[in-house]
């Protein structure tokens, strides 16, 4: 089989491409380079620069590389930006997926892995673990596009005989190697790194939630574990699985924001106390995955802990911000 990975030069996509290629899968990457970095990819993985909105290009790549399966990661993914630019998010995330599925159906490709998100749940109810049958009620245009994407993937799969897997990621962190680290400052770990690098105290938004230490609790997943989940999904489909499957990708263990900030202080050596600011509207007190279905259906479980995520992320941050580790 040959797998086309859209968004495969991005932070998560490059990890997926490396894991799949390293496991012996034939891989070709399509990336519009809005956040992709070519040097993240192994030298022998073909990189085609272009957008999932370009139907002619998609059809050409699918034919020229004899693609038999697709892993679709390409998408806009900043929650705040999606609130400000909903039209752009729907055009790129849902419109791009529509164009891709049209090309996939026309080319006779019958295996499709979709990068979804725990954002589809919105603010989940007060449950210990969020399962796949927890009601979906996204609270941002980004989350809406991911839920709409799942609906579209399943509908196209039923109509065109495409076997599909939707992976709902929880909070992704860490890096397999420093050069593969996330360079954006949109998630909590790099946001704390950024504050420390600028000689500022980290911030905690709210400390009166109904949790053990009053701060929000989240499920963090190492990007290498996430990449291995994609490989497991691809191999499930390559093995002849039919129909559709939707699974959570997380560790099933909660870590509070305060615990995470304290761990970052240990790893970075900068233990200054966090500033507590007002809680943000829409933040759920707790969002932790029930990941049992992924274990049952994909034979996959997360293997790496939060300390490994923080240590590997810090090594990558210091590579890209040489002054960070000198304070």
């Amino acid at each position: 089989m040959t797998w086309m990975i859209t968004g495969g030069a991005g932070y998560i996509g490059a990890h997926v491409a490396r894991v799949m290629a390293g496991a012996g899968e034939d891989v070709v990457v399509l990336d519009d380079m809005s956040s992709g970095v070519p040097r993240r990819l192994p030298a022998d993985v073909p990189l085609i620069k272009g957008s999932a909105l370009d139907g002619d290009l998609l059809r050409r790549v699918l034919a020229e590389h004899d693609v038999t399966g697709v892993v679709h990661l390409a998408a806009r993914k900043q929650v705040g930006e999606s609130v400000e630019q909903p039209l752009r998010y729907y055009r790129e995330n849902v419109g791009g997926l529509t164009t891709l599925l049209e090309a996939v159906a026309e080319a006779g490709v019958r295996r499709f892995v979709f990068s979804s998100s725990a954002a589809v749940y919105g603010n989940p109810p007060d449950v210990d673990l969020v399962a796949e049958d927890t009601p979906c009620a996204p609270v941002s245009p980004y989350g809406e596009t991911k839920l709409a994407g799942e609906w579209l993937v399943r509908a196209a799969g039923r109509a065109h005989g495409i076997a599909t897997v939707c992976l709902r990621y929880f909070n992704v962190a860490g890096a397999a190697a420093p050069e593969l680290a996330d360079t954006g400052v949109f998630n909590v770990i790099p946001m704390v790194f950024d504050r420390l690098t600028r000689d500022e105290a980290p911030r905690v938004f709210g400390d009166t939630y109904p949790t053990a230490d009053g701060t929000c609790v989240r499920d963090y997943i190492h990007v290498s574990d996430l990449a291995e989940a994609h490989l497991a999904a691809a191999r499930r489909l390559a093995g002849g699985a039919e129909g559709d499957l939707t699974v959570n990708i997380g560790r099933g263990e909660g870590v509070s924001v305060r615990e995470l900030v304290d761990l970052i202080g240990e790893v970075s050596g900068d233990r200054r106390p966090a500033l507590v600011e007002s809680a943000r509207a829409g933040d759920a007190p707790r969002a932790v995955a029930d990941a049992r279905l992924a274990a049952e259906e994909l034979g996959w479980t997360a293997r790496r802990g939060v300390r490994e995520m923080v240590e590997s992320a810090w090594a990558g941050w210091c590579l890209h911000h040489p002054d960070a580790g000198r304070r």
Side-chain angles (χ1 to χ4, degrees):
M1 289 193 62
T2 296
W3 291 91
M4 181 175 78
I5 303 176
T6 68
Y11 163 53
I12 295 174
H15 281 86
V16 174
R18 281 177 172 247
V19 164
M20 291 186 67
E25 302 290 341
D26 289 331
V27 168
V28 58
V29 165
L30 176 80
D31 199 298
D32 68 3
M33 308 313 295
S34 57
S35 61
V37 180
R39 65 177 178 273
R40 286 174 170 157
L41 294 170
D44 58 348
V45 170
L47 171 61
I48 291 88
K49 297 180 181 180
S51 170
L53 288 161
D54 187 339
D56 289 338
L57 174 62
L58 292 173
R59 286 186 285 273
R60 187 164 66 252
V61 173
L62 292 173
E64 290 179 354
H65 291 269
D66 195 22
V67 171
T68 49
V70 171
V71 179
H72 181 51
L73 295 105
R76 307 294 305 178
K77 63 176 185 177
Q78 296 177 36
V79 170
E81 183 182 65
S82 78
V83 174
E84 299 169 355
Q85 302 178 39
L87 296 176
R88 180 183 186 187
Y89 270 67
Y90 271 86
R91 181 178 65 252
E92 295 195 23
N93 291 5
V94 181
L97 177 58
T98 302
T99 303
L100 175 59
L101 286 168
E102 288 172 343
V104 161
E106 181 182 321
V109 175
R110 294 294 177 259
R111 300 167 183 89
F112 197 95
V113 179
F114 177 59
S115 164
S116 188
S117 167
V120 300
Y121 296 116
N123 295 327
D126 185 17
V127 294
D128 187 45
L129 298 175
V130 178
E132 289 81 0
D133 60 358
T134 298
C136 292
V139 295
S140 70
Y142 166 69
E144 292 168 2
T145 65
K146 286 299 182 180
L147 183 56
E150 289 188 8
W151 294 339
L152 182 55
V153 165
R154 296 187 199 110
R158 291 191 295 269
H160 298 283
I162 304 168
T164 65
V165 178
C166 296
L167 303 178
R168 291 175 174 169
Y169 315 167
F170 277 66
N171 298 271
V172 185
E179 62 272 18
L180 298 180
D182 188 3
T183 56
V185 188
F186 308 111
N187 299 315
V188 61
I189 292 175
M191 287 174 67
V192 174
F193 290 167
D194 183 58
R195 295 278 296 184
L196 297 179
T197 301
R198 291 189 283 114
D199 201 23
E200 297 175 359
R203 294 183 294 179
V204 171
F205 295 98
D207 64 351
T208 59
Y209 288 95
T211 61
D213 64 17
T215 66
C216 292
V217 173
R218 295 292 183 264
D219 191 332
Y220 296 91
I221 179 76
H222 196 293
V223 66
S224 293
D225 283 326
L226 176 59
E228 290 165 4
H230 284 80
L231 174 63
R235 287 191 163 168
R236 169 191 168 89
L237 297 179
E242 298 180 352
D244 62 80
L245 174 68
T246 300
V247 295
N248 290 333
I249 302 299
R251 294 172 59 246
E253 298 179 14
V255 177
S256 76
V257 173
R258 189 175 295 281
E259 289 172 330
L260 185 66
V261 170
D262 287 346
L263 178 56
I264 292 171
E266 290 180 27
V267 170
S268 68
D270 190 332
R271 299 171 181 264
R272 72 184 75 192
L275 299 175
V276 178
E277 300 190 1
S278 299
R280 297 179 299 191
D283 274 352
R286 178 181 175 87
V288 180
D290 183 339
R292 291 175 294 181
L293 188 61
E296 294 168 6
E297 296 290 341
L298 301 180
W300 171 92
T301 55
R303 298 186 293 116
R304 300 162 179 88
V306 178
R307 177 173 288 276
E308 187 172 348
M309 295 179 216
V310 172
E311 289 176 344
S312 61
W314 179 244
W317 181 267
C318 290
L319 176 67
H320 293 101
H321 304 81
D323 292 337
R326 297 175 185 172
R327 292 191 179 281

